[in-house]
Amino acid sequence: LNQDPGYLKDNAAEFPEGRPSRRDFLKLMGFTVSTASLVACSRAPIHKAIPFLNKPEELTPGLANWYATTCGGCDAGCSLLVKSRDGRPIKVEGNPQSPMTHGGACAVGQASLLSLYDEARLSGPQWKGQGMPWQRFDEKVRASLRAVGAGGQKVVLLTGTVLSPTTKKLIKAFLSNFPQGEHIQFDPISVEAIRLASENAFGLPVLPAYRLDRAKVVVGLNADFLGAWISPVEFTDAYAKNRKLQKPVVLSKHYQLEADFSLTGSNADKRIPIGASEEPAVILALLSRVRQHAGQSAVSDLPPSSVKTEVLDKIAEELWINRGSSLVLSGSNDVRVHLGVHALNSFLGNIGHTVDLDNPSFQKQGSDVALSRLLKEMKQGKVGALLADGVNPAYDNPLSADFKKAIPKLSFSLSFSNYRNETAALTTAIAPGLNYLESWNDAEPKANLYHLQQPLIAPLFDNRAFQDSLLRWMNGSGDYYAYLQEYWAQNIFPKQSKHLLSKKFWNQCLHDGVFAAPQQVTQNYPLKVSQSEMLTKLKQSLGTANEGMELVLYESVALRDGRNANNPWNQELPDPVTKVTWDNFAKLAPSTAHRLGLKEGDILQVTGAAGAVKLPVHLQPGLHPKNVSVALGYGRTGAGKVGDRVGKDLYPWVIQADETFVYTGSAVTLKKTGDRAKLATTQTHGRMEGRPIIKETELKKWEWDPKAGNEDHPPLESLWPKWGTGPENWGLAIDLNACTGCSACVISCQVENNVPVVGKDEVWRRREMHWIRIDRYYSGSEAEPEVAHQPMLCQHCADAPCETVCPVLATVHSSDGLNQQVYNRCVGTRYCANNCPYKVRRFNWFDYADNSEFDYYLNNDLGKMVLNPDVVVRSRGVMEKCSMCIQRIQEGKLMAKQEGKDLKDGEIKMACEQSCPSQAIVFGNLKDPESRVAKSTRDPRYYRVLEELGVRPNVGYLTKVRNKG
């Protein structure tokens, strides 16, 4: 419009000599029309690509490198493989070489990648709220610590569970410089009662290694071992081994008695709801029956229980028949309860088999007793300096209010958090640490199993590793990397005999990420406590039964203890059972809600000893009528833009028992407020209404007929001609017996394919964008329903109904059997979404990636570093859905071609398949009769959802078989 000379020059040479064809005209008009409409717009600047002068040997631009490290998403210490593109981590996967997880990774581990690129992280040390250079900061810290030591007060280092043996040695050396130095470990969700009970029962203060892979009968008591308890990836992997119907057939029997409705309970063969304070009574009832099976007298004066007598009889009988191959687990944090659990496992001969005390777990080492003592000493003036790393005592425990008052009164306090969280806001100084993907470390999650952690990227901010700070304050200088290598050379290298040189051993372990030293031989340990004493203590834990409602506090699968609250991937992940996102809420049984006149979304006031809190109501089938269940980890005020003021903080409601913190059983009253709130739920209906979406049968029927539950396969003729296909026809098979609904695949797909976050309000409008969802279906009665989980994604139909209705041919079929979406053609009619019977297509209502109102990480340059460059970021008005990781398929083809070989089955893995802790998903070429997916299609349990529609999906499922016998 301005007749700019540069534009006129370019315009004169816009068309080549001669008359352009219609195709040339349309191609060129795509640029010229948009350019002519711009006012005073110059041409885009030219960016020159400059090659490496000295290219690192291991780095080829555009190709990914993989490095082994250790996950920092929680305290489980899982080994990971991290994908790096051009020096930036963009995807994490489980490490197949780890004997603990065998390649699985949970949703929290997958999402932990995003925390690396969080702009809310601090960018340098602070002293009383003011930034300061590290050199001056170190001088002030050293002076403050010397002053505290000279004054005779304690210097306390308060941390989360420290899995690193090298870090433990460093901490010990650092605190030895102070006459009263002490290291205290604390876990927000504690299991200290198990260790204390192990010491009382066997003289071994350890957290046993639970071998679910050896258990034919599992009885869970409030233990969500598939969801968030201790080591869920490890437990899911082991649990799934006995849930797959392989030859010889070994299908474990799983009973779950619980106060909440957990992910683990939803997978049980028989789930029994119990009152929040009933667990001790249930354990006593089982003990009494097991004693009788062993020829001893029954326990006298058994308290009443809501569990039916015949159910308890059946569980005890199954346990006794499978003694030595059974396992009883409890999620309680009451020492007396775990004494009873240890006694049960001991009576059943499980010690040394399914309960390993010789190769224990080093996860969850925190002490509630030590934390309570620390606060008492702080109030008494005995503590002069508190240094906090990996914990947030001003938030994540029932003593948080007292810590908020006590921390500012200390002579010196320091936080190593790289966020200005609730505790860091109160401390004298902040020495922000590094993300686990920026730092060196190691971990020993299980006895004699070592994982190495290496940095994938240079520190993005002017921060420093926690260990390097300790070395600086101890020696004035130091390099933790060298310290780590020296420790391994002196302490880990002698545990093997394969390598003669410690340097070669180090390089091999760094490559693998894992070193497994020889395990100790397991043995049985007799109970050191008498049966009468144990029964007396267990009866003491019964207390007084609450006549009214009881509160159940639990750890959610997505948010865990709340440390990752500022991660939007975690916040938007639907809860596997309730399907609610972006909130915590009060779960109530429908019968209780009806009695109180409450509906879904009503605001309820919960009143108890800790005060009153208002929460929205969610009606949860299968919950005990006396329980109200609420998740911890919400209600943050120092998390950041995403996590602040999401939900309510329930940590003050945790019960302070004699020795430990207890999370269930406090008496509460409920009151309807008359207000309402929006619950952002991704699934509002949980019944199949008689449709064969999930096919089920029972083990006895399946043993008689392998086609049981899957008899109907209607013969259908297609009106459409068959597509021409190439050498591959890609497909997917999902074993519903192995799938637990953990949702690791949901986050894995989101990371791999740049799926945006849309926020609570858009989820409430049913506009979530996840390419794969986990559908949860109820069957049976409302009081005791059965649950089934089903991953649902684009089915890549051979006769796809979406393709026939697209007016611009944006959804097409490829020669290798994929239903493809051409984003540049899509004009957003949404006809395809309306015509899809599986409802797996997603429409971009907004430019989520460039709008901070919706997407919380892509709207800044730092956040964009997490994007996978192999996958385009979609814009407003475009329809999207599962591409079956076409970028991975193409990469696998090109690598095979480059190496001059044929593709082998298993060389290409979809993101959902690779992360699955239970290995329930299998991907491959349906045309290869020897491929795993082709073999799955020949399994009598194999079926396709809604196959009666004749759309011929390339995704199939294996019928779920329940062990109800």
Side-chain angles (χ1 to χ4, degrees), residues 29 211 389 531 569 731 924:
M29 282 298 288
R211 299 298 304 269
D389 177 64
Q531 290 191 37
W569 287 344

Side-chain angles (χ1 to χ4, degrees), residues 919-935:
Q919 300 177 29
I921 303 174
V922 174
F923 168 80
N925 182 10
L926 292 167
K927 284 192 171 181
D928 178 5
E930 298 304 314
S931 68
R932 294 170 301 158
V933 69
K935 290 178 180 178

Side-chain angles (χ1 to χ4, degrees), residues 10 115 197 396 411 418 421 432 464 481 512 529 531 592 625 627 702 745 796 810 816 823 832 866:
D10 293 333
S115 298
D396 58 13
S411 302
N418 55 12
N421 62 19
R464 191 171 67 196
Y481 172 59
D512 297 343
V529 60
Q531 290 191 37
T592 304
N627 297 345
W702 179 83
C745 56
H796 292 272
D816 49 1
Y823 300 132
C832 57
V866 80

Side-chain angles (χ1 to χ4, degrees), residues 457-733:
I457 192 171
L460 297 175
F461 302 101
D462 186 22
N463 297 344
R464 191 171 67 196
F466 157 71
Q467 295 89 346
D468 279 321
S469 290
L470 294 188
L471 284 169
R472 294 288 180 90
W473 302 336
M474 185 171 63
N475 300 325
S477 62
D479 179 3
Y480 183 64
Y481 172 59
Y483 192 95
L484 180 66
Q485 282 188 308
E486 182 182 356
Y487 180 89
W488 272 63
Q490 294 177 358
N491 298 276
I492 312 300
F493 174 67
K495 295 187 176 185
Q496 56 83 48
S497 57
K498 180 180 179 181
H499 299 279
L500 298 177
L501 299 176
S502 63
K503 184 65 177 178
K504 190 172 182 180
F505 168 69
W506 167 265
N507 289 337
Q508 185 65 52
C509 292
L510 190 60
H511 171 271
D512 297 343
V514 176
F515 168 63
Q519 297 282 295
Q520 298 292 323
V521 177
T522 59
Q523 56 183 307
N524 190 10
Y525 290 88
L527 285 172
K528 288 195 172 185
V529 60
S530 66
Q531 290 191 37
S532 58
E533 182 183 356
M534 180 270 300
L535 290 172
T536 301
K537 289 185 176 182
L538 189 55
K539 288 180 179 180
Q540 289 173 354
S541 65
L542 293 170
T544 304
N546 298 313
E547 294 183 1
M549 300 296 294
E550 295 181 318
L551 181 64
V552 179
L553 300 175
Y554 67 94
E555 191 176 9
S556 71
V557 169
L559 226 57
R560 301 289 181 88
D561 58 24
R563 74 182 69 183
N564 299 313
N566 207 49
N567 190 318
W569 287 344
N570 288 332
Q571 291 280 7
E572 196 152 295
L573 179 67
D575 181 90
V577 177
T578 66
K579 298 302 171 185
V580 179
T581 71
W582 288 102
D583 219 340
N584 62 343
F585 41 86
K587 294 184 196 174
L588 288 179
S591 60
T592 304
H594 179 74
R595 175 171 57 84
L596 298 174
L598 293 167
K599 297 180 179 179
E600 182 87 6
D602 283 348
I603 299 295
L604 177 71
Q605 179 173 294
V606 182
T607 306
V613 62
K614 294 181 180 180
L615 294 160
V617 169
H618 172 72
L619 305 188
Q620 178 59 63
L623 203 67
H624 193 281
K626 285 187 63 175
N627 297 345
V628 53
S629 186
V630 188
L632 295 166
Y634 290 82
R636 295 286 305 276
T637 58
K641 175 182 177 181
V642 174
D644 284 350
R645 294 172 295 279
V646 175
K648 298 296 176 63
D649 178 16
L650 270 292
Y651 273 112
W653 295 69
V654 175
I655 301 171
Q656 301 175 52
D658 295 336
E659 297 178 284
T660 57
F661 298 151
V662 179
Y663 304 93
T664 60
S666 60
V668 294
T669 58
L670 309 181
K671 179 182 177 182
K672 182 178 180 180
T673 64
D675 297 326
R676 289 186 56 78
K678 295 178 180 178
L679 281 178
T681 309
T682 60
Q683 185 179 355
T684 57
H685 189 72
R687 299 278 180 173
M688 289 182 284
E689 307 296 349
R691 297 170 296 171
I693 298 173
I694 294 181
K695 294 187 177 182
E696 302 182 25
T697 190
E698 297 181 18
L699 179 60
K700 289 183 178 180
K701 293 180 180 179
W702 179 83
E703 289 176 329
W704 180 259
D705 179 10
K707 292 184 179 181
N710 189 31
E711 297 88 355
D712 297 329
H713 290 280
L716 297 171
E717 296 295 332
S718 174
L719 297 176
W720 301 98
K722 289 188 177 181
W723 295 98
T725 57
E728 293 93 18
N729 184 26
W730 302 110
L732 203 69

